[in-house]
Amino acid sequence: MAEFASSGCLFFDELIDEQTNKEFLDDIGHTNIDEVDSVQDFYKNIKATSSIPRIPAGTPLKEAFPKNSPLDKIFKNEVVEGAITSLVGSKTIVDHQFLHITFPTKYFNQANQRQMSQANHQDSTIDPRSTFDVQLFYFPTEVTKEMGGTRYHPGTHLRIVNENAIAKYQNILGQKSIVCKPGTIGIFHSGLWHGAGVNFSENIRYMFKVRLQPTEKQELLWDPEKKYQPLPNRALFWTDETKDQTINDILMRSYPWQEADTNRLDKINVVKFWRLLTGHKKMDVDYWLTRIENELY
Amino acid sequence: MAKRQKVLVLYLKFPSLEAEVISWATFDGTGKKLHMTGDTDTPPYPTGLDALLDGWRLFQASQAIPEHPGEEFRTSYLKHEFFFEKLEEGDF
Ligand SMILES: [Fe+2]
């Protein structure tokens, strides 16, 4: 949870088994690249034949997918279920889902289009809530570097921006792109900055995404026995480097893209986020909030 | 011979050209190179000053805007933005 609070993302490599990945690809009618002519035809075909249902926004996740369908199996995987319950609770609802397909160069050449990557953005719209949604990504096939897997910027999830208004940041220090084996699952905080890369391979790249909303406060959903206790204060600046790394070191991690001044606000916002996730409304890490809350007038 | 503009946008770690580059964008009006999001993981220059030393002309820098009262801790866009240009002559 501390890792998620700090970076805004979690990954589970090769979590989904080969058989389920194959069932998913069969279900969406994954065909040989040579047999597909246009992007539109490809989507039309998948929508007509696959078992991916049309889910009205707000449907409980537990009622969303047909029993024993590949997606049903994926969401019943104990790690996926555990992560979802920890982040958005067991009564989570589906906002939307989409099968993202990134087509290789030949489709752009055929259509006489410029093949460009997707600009950096935050999904949906400006979102100043304390509540957060998660976006679960499922990669049914291998994603190699040249396939242009989803680009993301760890630690950006608590910056409040307006969707595509971050498109001008072409490159951001510390940017990462997903490279993974089949069956990998990623979970993003809904505020994480990201964008799709360019697919320079010969093959189609798939990414199935589901956005989930909580219906309850996201306080200690990950710790039902409510055992979590914040760590006591530690020395600042004149520190003791012999001490072991703790959760607080994860929460206080800096990211290479952060400005010198705003980096401190980013840390403050992680502490505020951790207060919400733990229910410890006065907890602090490294005195960032205690110092400025000591208002005597 | 015609002239074309190349634009380099640098986001720096603090509001001084001596500061390190944390984000960057390039738009090439000569059409020689198509830049796009995510095309390189290494900044073109370590600092803003290095861009000046390589002949880029600064034409815009972000202002310091005081934080809104009550929203001092809200974080949002990258703050320290510097726009540079180079003019290139050629047959385009
Ligand atoms: Fe997106």
Side-chain angles (χ1 to χ4, degrees), chain A residues 100 118-119 121-124 135 137 150 163 192 194-196 207 209:
Chain A
H100 289 267
Q118 188 188 30
H121 63 281
Q122 198 175 57
D123 273 346
S124 188
Q135 309 223 70
F137 299 86
T150 312
E163 210 256 338
L192 199 75
H194 66 279
M207 185 272 278
K209 179 177 92 176

Side-chain angles (χ1 to χ4, degrees), chain B residues 8-22 45-53 56-62 80-84:
Chain B
L8 172 69
V9 196
L10 298 180
Y11 297 86
L12 304 183
K13 206 156 187 160
F14 51 89
S16 157
L17 287 177
E18 293 158 21
E20 291 157 53
V21 177
I22 53 169
Y45 301 101
T47 70
L49 184 59
D50 289 295
L52 287 185
L53 290 169
W56 289 92
R57 296 160 53 100
L58 181 75
F59 69 93
Q60 185 175 297
S62 53
H80 315 304
E81 178 185 77
F82 296 85
F83 274 77
F84 300 84

